[in-house]
Amino acid sequence: MFHRSRLRTTRHRTAALAAGVLAITLTATACGSDEPDEPENLDGNRVGAMEDYGVGDQFTATEPLTFSMLYNNHPNYAIDKEWLFWEELTERTAVSIDSVEVPLSDYEQKRSLLIGAGDAPMIIPKTYPGQESAFVASGAILPVSDYIDLMPHFQDKVAKWNLQGDIDSLRQQDGKFYLLPGLHEDVWTDYTIAVRTDILAELGLEEPTTWDEFRDMLRAMKEAYPDTYPMSDRWSIPTPLGALQNIIGPSYGYDTMAGWGYQNATFDRDAGEFVFTGTMPEYREMVEFLHSLIEEGLFDPESLTQDDDTAIQKLANSKSFVISTNAQTLVNDYRPALEQTNPSATIAKITRPDSPVGSVKAGSRLENGIMISSAARQSENFVAMMQFIDWLWYSDEGQEFAKWGVEGVTYTKDASGKRVLDADIDFVGLNPNGSKHLQKDFGFSNGVFAYGGTTDLLQSTFSAEELEFQEAMGQKETLPVSPPRPFSDEEREQATLWETPLKDYVQQQTLQFILGQRDLSEWDAYVEELNGKNAQQLIDLVNGAYERYKEQYG
């Protein structure tokens, strides 16, 4: 059980961990993990590259170039070759993109097939940290840490924002990393709970600040509206309660992840070792909390299986008053639905409630990023490609271009420097009456290209309401990221055999405990069942990899 007094010691552990990460970083650098063992001769790979390229420079190839790229085609803004984005990108950089387009729903599977067959394009974006590990042993992707000297903007942001510890979490057993992640200046929290604020006002309730107060709020709603489930949730397909568990889990301590973010291994900072997430006392506390909501009739059990549209309709028809949310769904889904059925209703995001551990949040400043095909290293344009990636994904100018478009066309800047979207262009509800859309009609704010950057850029499209939410979340203490624990090829192969069955069993049994289909008195039996499925063997493997990395790099 966590107590608030433990939050005070967390700060000391954070400082200690930061010192440890610094030691690892310095040692890893001294061992040459960010440099090739011997300088590589790139003289034959500089065609089209700029001779002098540094921080603040606009990358423009010295001759027209084309780079192949895997493209995650989002159904909300399907690719259009006539987008202004492509035209302007080529005008600024002299680079054209030869896109291999894959639907969002098939992206990960197609990416694996292309890499496995040796047919992957040169640039492979939209890869989340950890996903690259499966491709390291084959040699199909490039150890990009050997080439970051070609990327001054990437290096500048890592140094300026003190991100080296985050980057170290990507390192494989050889001390190198194989993913160029998106970089955020600060931890960004978007997902939380949306609550009908008119119901709060009607019942004389304040916004809950703890999960216990959140439950009390639902109890008051249930008492006033006994024929409703106060909360009915969405985002349960394919992972039941995927969003809600991911929102609540970190509140219960460490970087406990659940739902969407579930990982079998969590670093216990007190013990200095990894433990199995699904058997942690803190994980059980989360399960007990969610079970209490079901048991008291405060939470709709159909939430575990219903689709998003059903959940939204229940909210719109006042069959529920509370639902998981992010900024876009609040504006694009909930408010329009309520406007049609109940124009007087109001709904807003609440600051994520605290738990007994205190006011904390978990998260990484690393975003989905880019793998580079190993074949790209042989291209005569390799250096130019790395400079291009560095400018578009990591320079302030490139990030602003990818997000906002062309100044004077899609947006302007006022006297204070604030970006203002053209009045006839809509994006995230900024101009709801606009006849054009920044993503659909122009190709900007595209998830393939626009992520990471300064907090100012991130928040530049936020409403005043969302900025207030971000300010409140910014007051919470950020839990440190877990230390590296890279597997050898043989260990990764073994871990792969254990990981998915264990994760599936944890999620299956978690839902049974929450629904009351399995009594919580059987928790110890559940723990033994997991050990019978190699949970302890997996954790031993993880801790062995962690200890080996510490010995080798600090």
Side-chain angles (χ1 to χ4, degrees), residues 29 81 121 131 253 266 334 389 402 443 453 508:
T29 302
K81 296 297 187 179
Q131 292 180 338
T266 292
Y334 306 154
I389 290 171
Q508 176 193 82

Side-chain angles (χ1 to χ4, degrees), residues 287-288 290-292 294 506 508-527 529:
V287 171
E288 290 174 334
L290 289 170
H291 171 66
S292 73
I294 292 281
V506 168
Q508 176 193 82
Q509 296 303 305
T510 294
L511 297 176
Q512 289 192 15
F513 283 127
I514 290 172
L515 286 169
Q517 295 172 351
R518 185 170 189 181
D519 195 274
L520 281 159
S521 63
E522 296 184 30
W523 185 266
D524 290 344
Y526 153 75
V527 172
E529 291 158 10

Side-chain angles (χ1 to χ4, degrees), residues 3-138:
H3 300 285
R4 288 193 179 275
S5 60
R6 290 186 62 176
L7 179 59
R8 294 194 294 270
T9 62
T10 299
R11 293 190 174 90
H12 297 295
R13 289 198 303 272
T14 301
L17 181 61
V21 166
L22 179 60
I24 290 173
T25 301
L26 295 175
T27 305
T29 302
C31 292
S33 63
D34 283 346
E35 299 290 342
D37 293 334
E38 296 180 5
E40 291 187 46
N41 186 345
L42 294 171
D43 290 345
N45 309 96
R46 295 184 180 274
V47 176
M50 293 175 62
E51 184 174 349
D52 295 311
Y53 171 68
V55 175
D57 290 340
Q58 162 71 57
F59 168 76
T60 304
T62 58
E63 62 181 62
L65 300 176
T66 298
F67 299 129
S68 61
M69 188 185 77
L70 196 63
Y71 184 90
N72 188 329
N73 199 7
H74 200 294
N76 288 355
Y77 44 94
I79 190 170
D80 183 345
K81 296 297 187 179
E82 301 302 314
W83 276 340
L84 177 62
F85 173 84
W86 305 117
E87 177 186 342
E88 186 71 18
L89 181 67
T90 301
E91 183 174 331
R92 295 190 187 197
T93 66
V95 170
S96 299
I97 297 295
D98 179 15
S99 58
V100 178
E101 296 142 27
V102 179
L104 171 66
S105 58
D106 298 329
Y107 189 76
E108 292 184 16
Q109 180 181 11
K110 183 68 171 178
R111 181 182 61 199
S112 295
L113 291 173
L114 287 170
I115 294 174
D119 296 328
M122 297 170 73
I123 303 172
I124 310 170
K126 222 48 185 165
T127 300
Y128 285 85
Q131 292 180 338
E132 80 282 8
S133 298
F135 309 113
V136 170
S138 68

Side-chain angles (χ1 to χ4, degrees), residues 214-215 218 289-299:
F214 179 83
R215 180 168 49 200
L218 297 181
F289 171 77
L290 289 170
H291 171 66
S292 73
L293 302 187
I294 292 281
E295 187 176 41
E296 295 184 35
L298 308 176
F299 187 84

Side-chain angles (χ1 to χ4, degrees), residues 136-199:
V136 170
S138 68
I141 59 173
L142 203 66
V144 290
S145 56
D146 285 349
Y147 304 100
I148 58 171
D149 61 305
L150 304 175
M151 305 182 67
H153 293 102
F154 178 89
Q155 290 179 299
D156 179 62
K157 283 182 166 53
V158 169
K160 186 164 53 180
W161 297 342
N162 194 27
L163 282 164
Q164 191 63 57
D166 300 71
I167 295 296
D168 283 341
S169 69
L170 300 174
R171 296 187 186 277
Q172 302 294 324
Q173 190 191 11
D174 59 6
K176 302 173 189 255
F177 57 91
Y178 291 72
L179 179 76
L180 290 169
L183 306 176
H184 284 285
E185 183 177 7
D186 296 305
V187 170
W188 171 40
T189 303
D190 186 11
Y191 285 82
T192 184
I193 308 295
V195 176
R196 281 273 301 273
T197 48
D198 59 312
I199 300 296

Side-chain angles (χ1 to χ4, degrees), residues 221-262:
M221 290 176 172
K222 181 72 173 180
E223 183 176 359
Y225 294 92
D227 294 331
T228 68
Y229 287 109
M231 183 170 187
S232 187
D233 215 17
R234 65 179 300 178
W235 289 318
S236 280
I237 299 173
T239 306
L241 302 188
L244 183 61
Q245 290 185 78
N246 201 47
I247 291 166
I248 296 177
S251 304
Y252 279 83
Y254 301 111
D255 48 1
T256 304
M257 294 296 184
W260 284 344
Y262 180 83

